[in-house]
Amino acid sequence: MAEKRLMYGNHAVVEGVIYAGCRFFAGYPITPQNEIPEYMSIRMNEEGGVFLQTESEIAAINMLFGAAAAGKRAMTSSSSPGISLMQEGISYIAGADMPVLVVNVVRGGPGLGNIAPAQSDYYQATRGGGHGDYFTITLAPHSGQELFEFPRLGFELAEKYRNPALILADGLLGQMMEPVEFTYEPIDPTSLPEKEWALSGCKGRERRVVRSYDLRPGKLEDLNRRRFEKYENIKKNEQRFRASRCDDADLVVVAYGTCARVSDAAVRMARDRGLKVGLLRPISLWPFPWDVLGDMSKRVEHFLVVEMSCGQMIDDVKLATECRSKVQFHGRPGGGVPTPPEIYEKILGVLGGTR
Amino acid sequence: MKKIFGRPAGLTEIIQRYCPGCGHGIVHRLIAELLVELDIRERTVGIAPVGCSVFADEYFNCDMIQPPHGRGPAVATGIKRSRPDCVLFSYQGDGDLAAIGTAETVHAAARNEKITVIFINNAIYGMTGGQLAPTTLPGMRSTTSVKGRDVVKQGYPIKVCELLSGVDGAYYLERCAVNTPKNIIKTKKALKTAFKNQMDDKGFSLVEILSMCPTGWGVTPVQSKQWIDDVMSKYYPLGVYRDRAKEEK
Amino acid sequence: MTNEIIIAGFGGQGIVSSGIILAHAGMIEDKYVSFFPSYGAEMRGGTANCSVVISSDPVASPIVANPNIMIVMNEPSLARFEPTVQPNGLFFFNQTLIKSKPTRKDITIIPVEANAIAEELGQGRVANMVMLGILAKKTGLLKLETLKKAQRKRFTKANKEQLELNDKALERGYALL
C-alpha cells in the first residue's frame, strides 16, 4: 500500500507539486494559504528548485510566465484578492498559450472580505477571469488526497492544451488535516520532455517568439478562433465529475469542493430515510460537466445546487439542464460553511413540495 | 567591392517602424552588435516592453518574449532562474519601467537578479500619443500637461538611476545618451558592461539611456538631439551611478 | 458512527498537538479522520481550540460546531463550550485548573485532575496526554497503544525521556476509570 500521511491540505498541494516534477514557485503570502509558500520554501530548497517570495502577486504570475516560456513547470498559489491581481498575467499567459498552474485557496470576498473558506471565485475561475476571450482549465479538489493529486493532473492538462490550469480549493480544504496517500512515484523533472516552443536561446534553430498580441488585420481573429477550437476539444475530452447514488434519484445535489463533502453526508442522511437523493460532484469546473447534467436532466426532476456563495455555479447547472428540471439553491456566502442537517432540511423542503 | 557597414546579425531583416529621429533604432543596433560581438545571440532571450518598442520582438534576431506592461523584470526573473545559462535583457521605456513597472524594477534590483535592463528614457509616452511620462521634466509639455508639467498638480519626475542607487542589490547603474556619436560610443560601452556583468554572473545591471522622441516632443530630429544636451541631461546627469565591480576592487 | 471532538484551552497546553495525535491515532486504526485548527479572531486572547472528527464514514466537514466529545482544559473554555455539546455527549474537564462546575444535566460530566496528575509525573505539560488517555478509555474509540504510536509521529524531535513520560501520562489517564 502507498504511504499514508496525516497532512494539512496546503502541505498536500506542495507535495503534489513536487511530485509533479515542478521546481519553480513564485508567490506572495496571503491567508489562508500561507502554509503553501512556507512549506514550499523548505521543499524547493531540498529539491534544488526555485522558490521566490515576490513583491506582489503581479510579479509572481509574470515570473511564472517567464518560467513557463522557458519550458519549465511553474506554479503559484494565492487566495482570492491575490488571484484578482494575477488576472492580468493569466490573460497574457492564456494569450501566449503557455501552461502554468495556479492554486487559489478561496476566501470570503469581495474586497478584503475575510479569511474564512468560500467558493465565491467560481465566476472568475470559469469565465476566464481577466480580459479577452479565453478560459482556464479549472479543477476543484474536495480532499487532501485530491490536493495532492491535482497538481500533476493540472500540469498534464495545461501542457497537453498549452493553457493555464487552475486549482480552486478553499480555506477549509487548505487548513484541515487529513490522511493523504502518496499514490504515485515522484516525477524526475529532468525526465520531462523539452518543449518544442520553449525559449532557451536560438542555437541551432530558428528564433522563437512568445507573445499574446497580433496587430495585423484579421490575424488576432484567426488566432482566437483557433484557440476556441482547442477549447472545444477540452470541453469534449476533459469534463470530470463524480456521480454517486444518482441512478434512481428524484433529486440530485450538485456541489463541488467542500460543499460536496458536506452534501455527501446530507445525501447519506436522506438515503437512510428512504429518500432517493444523489450527488453530482463536478471535478472540472471548466470544462463544466455539462453533458452528464444534460443527460440527467432528462430523468431527474430536481437539482439542488449547494455553494459557499450567493450562487454562481447554479448558472452552469441551469445552462446544462436547459429548463428541463427544477433547479434550487442553497448557499452560504461570506465564509459560512453549510452543515449536513442544513442541506438535509433543504432536500426535505424541495422533495416535500412535490408530494 | 568590400562591404564595410551592414545590418548586424543581431537584427532581423524586418523594417523597423520607428519615427524619423527616434533613438530606439540606435539602441537596437547597439544591442544587436553586442549580441554578435559577445557571442551571446544564440543563448539570449530578449524582452520587449509595451510602448513604442513593443515590436522589438520582431526586430531582435534572438528568442524574444512580450510580457504585460511593466512586468519585464519579473518575466526575465522567471526565465533566468529557470535557465541560468541564458542571457536576459529587458528592454523598457519610461512608462513601462518607471511608472507601471516600478515595483518589478526596484525588486529585481533588490534581489540582484542577474539580468540586464535597458531603460529608454525619452520623457514622454510615445506609443499612446505623447502623454506625460514619469520622467517628463517640470514644465515640459505633453498631451496630458498641455501647459507644461505642473509639479504642484502632477508631481515630480522619477530619476531612476538615483532611485536605484539606494537599492543595495543593484550591481551596475549608468545613465547614457544617444544624441551624439560620442554619447553613442559611451552607451555601447555601458551596454557591454551590463551584458558582461550578467555573463560573469555578477548581477543586476541597468543602463538608462536618454533618447530622442522628436514626434512626442514636437521638435525636429536635430533640435531633439540638442535638447538632450541643453536641457534633459542637466536634469538627468549622465554618468555611472553604481559599479560594484569597481567598488569591490 | 461519527465522533466529533473539540479540544479547547490556553495556547501552550498542547491543544493542537492533542488534536493531531487523536486524528493520527484514528488514521492508524483505519478510520476516516480530520483535524481542523481554530483560526482568525479565535486565535486572539491566547485561547486555542481544534476540531477532530473520527468516523466510520467519510468526513463531511472538519469543522465541529456541536461536539459529542468535548475536552476543556481551562476556565474560559468551560463557559464557552459547555453549551455547544450534543445531548448525551461526553464532557471531560480539567478540574485542576477549572474552579467552576459544569451545570448541564443532559451530558456526562467527567472531571479530571489532569494538571495535578501531570505535576505528579513531574511535568505539567503532559496534562493533555492524561486527557487523551482517559478519553480513550471512556469512549473505547482508540487503543492506548495507538495513542502511544501517534504521539511519536507528532513529537518527532522529542527525546526518549519525554516520549516515555508522555506514554506514562497516557497510561495514567487511561487507568483513571
Side-chain angles (χ1 to χ4, degrees):
Chain A
M1 203 181 83
E3 186 195 353
K4 208 186 213 179
R5 294 193 217 167
L6 185 69
M7 296 184 84
Y8 286 106
N10 283 336
H11 288 182
V13 172
V14 174
E15 287 299 341
V17 166
I18 297 289
Y19 268 57
C22 170
R23 293 293 180 272
F24 189 101
F25 174 93
Y28 186 88
I30 181 170
T31 309
Q33 62 83 60
N34 293 317
E35 296 80 7
I36 295 180
E38 285 169 4
Y39 188 46
M40 189 71 83
S41 71
I42 295 166
R43 292 294 285 120
M44 281 298 181
N45 194 36
E46 287 170 353
E47 300 291 337
V50 177
F51 171 86
L52 283 155
Q53 184 174 321
T54 60
E55 62 270 27
S56 69
E57 288 84 352
I58 298 173
I61 193 71
N62 282 288
M63 288 178 190
L64 258 64
F65 188 16
K72 304 297 182 186
R73 288 192 166 176
M75 72 86 64
T76 185
S77 65
S78 188
S79 181
S80 309
I83 297 290
S84 292
L85 276 175
M86 289 186 189
Q87 292 304 333
E88 174 198 60
I90 295 172
S91 169
Y92 277 66
I93 291 166
D97 300 304
M98 287 292 127
V100 298
L101 180 67
V102 176
V103 174
N104 183 359
V105 183
V106 182
R107 59 186 253 183
L112 197 54
N114 61 16
I115 57 172
Q119 295 183 325
S120 40
D121 296 353
Y122 180 92
Y123 282 150
Q124 186 194 53
T126 59
R127 265 62 181 168
H131 64 282
D133 265 343
Y134 73 94
F135 292 101
T136 51
I137 297 163
T138 304
L139 302 171
H142 83 320
S143 61
Q145 188 62 37
E146 289 186 343
L147 285 168
F148 170 73
E149 289 172 2
F150 282 9
R152 185 172 113 166
L153 176 62
F155 276 120
E156 284 169 357
L157 293 173
E159 287 171 2
K160 181 176 177 186
Y161 295 103
R162 288 187 58 179
N163 202 73
L166 200 67
I167 292 177
L168 204 65
D170 63 57
L172 186 138
L173 295 172
Q175 308 253 301
M176 77 184 286
M177 271 183 138
E178 263 194 328
V180 174
E181 255 184 85
F182 283 44
T183 37
Y184 47 81
E185 291 298 307
I187 295 170
D188 174 1
T190 60
S191 72
L192 295 167
E194 282 283 318
K195 312 286 192 298
E196 72 277 9
W197 41 260
L199 304 180
S200 55
C202 59
K203 191 174 175 64
R205 59 162 171 79
E206 288 289 296
R207 77 190 193 100
R208 293 173 184 155
V209 179
V210 170
R211 64 177 157 220
S212 61
Y213 79 92
D214 199 329
L215 302 185
R216 294 169 297 173
K219 292 291 181 187
L220 188 64
E221 184 173 354
D222 294 346
L223 184 65
N224 283 350
R225 286 196 194 285
R226 277 203 304 281
R227 192 168 294 120
F228 269 70
E229 284 167 21
K230 168 173 97 178
Y231 291 151
E232 284 307 313
N233 272 332
I234 299 174
K235 285 186 194 172
K236 204 168 71 192
N237 300 327
E238 309 297 347
Q239 294 183 27
R240 285 157 202 268
F241 60 90
R242 185 70 50 84
S244 52
R245 303 179 177 91
C246 289
D247 290 346
D248 64 342
D250 299 321
L251 182 154
V252 168
V253 179
V254 187
Y256 70 94
T258 291
C259 279
R261 301 173 68 106
V262 181
S263 298
D264 187 49
V267 167
R268 277 178 302 186
M269 286 170 77
R271 283 280 170 179
D272 286 348
R273 289 156 180 85
L275 300 171
K276 288 179 178 172
V277 179
L279 173 67
L280 183 91
R281 172 166 78 93
I283 293 174
S284 59
L285 301 182
W286 195 92
F288 190 73
W290 295 283
D291 296 350
V292 65
L293 267 164
D295 284 348
M296 276 187 187
S297 67
K298 288 166 192 154
R299 55 194 161 75
V300 175
E301 195 180 346
H302 296 282
F303 288 93
L304 172 62
V305 182
V306 179
E307 296 180 70
M308 295 190 301
S309 74
C310 284
Q312 299 189 10
M313 182 176 73
I314 188 174
D315 288 3
D316 281 329
V317 175
K318 284 180 176 171
L319 286 170
T321 55
E322 293 178 327
C323 305
R324 281 184 290 266
S325 315
K326 294 176 190 119
V327 181
Q328 311 263 356
F329 180 71
H330 180 70
R332 292 289 301 275
V337 178
T339 63
E342 186 182 313
I343 297 169
Y344 174 68
E345 283 303 313
K346 187 77 188 183
I347 290 170
L348 283 188
V350 172
L351 288 179
T354 63
R355 278 175 191 166
Chain B
M1 202 165 70
K2 194 183 165 199
K3 187 174 170 186
I4 57 163
F5 190 82
R7 184 194 306 277
L11 288 177
T12 62
E13 294 189 0
I14 291 167
I15 306 295
Q16 295 176 12
R17 281 157 286 185
Y18 294 116
C19 303
C22 170
H24 277 303
I26 300 169
V27 182
H28 280 22
R29 184 181 172 95
L30 297 179
I31 294 168
E33 286 175 359
L34 286 168
L35 294 183
V36 177
E37 287 167 25
L38 297 170
D39 194 23
I40 52 174
R41 186 184 72 85
E42 291 183 324
R43 61 185 179 108
T44 292
V45 181
I47 292 168
V50 173
C52 283
S53 43
V54 64
F55 298 118
D57 63 0
E58 292 186 15
Y59 303 151
F60 287 108
N61 190 15
C62 59
D63 278 5
M64 294 291 295
I65 181 168
Q66 201 289 311
H69 198 24
R71 319 301 176 211
V75 171
T77 299
I79 299 173
K80 185 71 181 181
R81 297 282 188 125
S82 300
R83 293 190 182 269
D85 293 337
C86 283
V87 174
L88 268 295
F89 75 84
S90 180
Y91 189 99
Q92 298 180 259
D94 37 44
D96 199 84
L97 184 136
I100 200 163
T102 314
E104 284 77 7
T105 305
V106 171
H107 285 270
R111 291 192 305 269
N112 193 22
E113 213 58 66
K114 290 164 186 64
I115 58 172
T116 300
V117 178
I118 296 144
F119 168 38
I120 307 298
N121 178 0
N122 58 16
I124 202 86
Y125 280 20
M127 174 66 119
T128 45
Q131 296 86 359
L132 186 89
T135 48
T136 296
L137 273 56
M140 182 176 168
R141 285 199 196 124
S142 75
T143 55
T144 48
S145 60
V146 290
K147 290 181 177 169
R149 181 173 193 148
D150 175 355
V151 294
V152 174
K153 289 181 183 158
Q154 293 176 303
Y156 288 85
I158 287 179
K159 296 176 175 177
V160 169
C161 279
E162 289 85 337
L163 174 75
L164 293 178
S165 294
V167 178
D168 287 348
Y171 188 82
Y172 174 72
L173 305 165
E174 181 166 355
R175 183 180 290 128
C176 307
V178 286
N179 62 330
T180 65
K182 192 178 152 197
N183 279 340
I184 290 170
I185 290 166
K186 274 192 180 168
T187 300
K188 184 167 175 185
K189 194 165 156 269
L191 288 169
K192 191 171 179 176
T193 306
F195 275 112
K196 289 273 279 183
N197 285 342
Q198 184 179 173
M199 292 163 70
D200 296 342
D201 211 28
K202 292 298 188 192
F204 184 87
S205 299
L206 178 144
V207 181
E208 175 175 349
I209 301 169
L210 306 186
S211 178
M212 300 74 70
C213 182
T215 307
W217 297 350
V219 297
T220 67
V222 174
Q223 287 168 333
S224 73
K225 289 170 194 294
Q226 194 60 45
W227 190 76
I228 288 183
D229 270 346
D230 296 346
V231 182
M232 198 175 176
S233 61
K234 301 282 189 289
Y235 197 86
Y236 297 109
L238 306 185
V240 177
Y241 284 78
R242 167 77 56 80
D243 188 351
R244 234 197 278 154
K246 282 208 176 123
E247 289 164 23
E248 281 164 10
K249 277 181 196 166
Chain C
M1 174 65 195
T2 298
N3 285 289
E4 298 180 286
I5 306 160
I6 291 180
I7 307 170
F10 286 126
Q13 283 187 306
I15 303 301
V16 166
S17 288
S18 305
I20 292 175
I21 290 164
L22 271 185
H24 212 118
M27 181 178 85
I28 293 170
E29 293 192 9
D30 275 330
K31 297 178 162 83
Y32 289 99
V33 298
S34 69
F35 163 84
F36 197 79
S38 71
Y39 59 93
E42 293 173 3
M43 297 270 286
R44 287 187 220 135
T47 64
N49 75 81
C50 64
S51 304
V52 177
V53 181
I54 301 178
S55 177
S56 53
D57 293 309
V59 177
S61 170
I63 299 174
V64 175
N66 300 107
N68 65 324
I69 301 171
M70 180 78 221
I71 296 181
V72 167
M73 293 298 282
N74 70 347
E75 186 80 49
S77 299
L78 181 108
R80 177 163 167 209
F81 287 99
E82 190 189 352
T84 68
V85 179
Q86 293 175 22
N88 305 316
L90 301 177
F91 191 84
F92 299 87
F93 80 104
N94 184 2
Q95 204 173 26
T96 318
L97 299 186
I98 300 171
K99 298 301 157 214
S100 324
K101 297 278 170 260
T103 54
R104 294 251 314 252
K105 301 291 173 223
D106 61 337
I107 57 177
T108 307
I109 309 284
I110 305 133
V112 186
E113 288 290 348
N115 271 77
I117 294 168
E119 293 294 347
E120 256 178 63
L121 290 169
Q123 195 186 68
R125 267 199 308 164
V126 297
N128 61 343
M129 294 291 142
V130 176
M131 277 296 193
L132 294 188
I134 189 171
L135 181 147
K137 181 67 176 291
K138 178 78 188 169
T139 61
L141 187 57
L142 298 158
K143 295 189 188 74
L144 179 63
E145 287 311 307
T146 315
L147 284 173
K148 289 182 182 177
K149 273 188 215 166
Q151 65 108 345
R152 279 169 175 76
K153 295 282 184 188
R154 172 63 183 168
F155 303 115
T156 50
K157 287 173 187 154
N159 60 30
K160 193 161 162 273
E161 290 71 34
Q162 183 66 51
L163 293 173
E164 283 170 1
L165 182 63
N166 291 347
D167 282 348
K168 259 187 217 153
L170 285 167
E171 284 163 10
R172 282 291 299 273
Y174 199 84
L176 283 173
L177 294 176

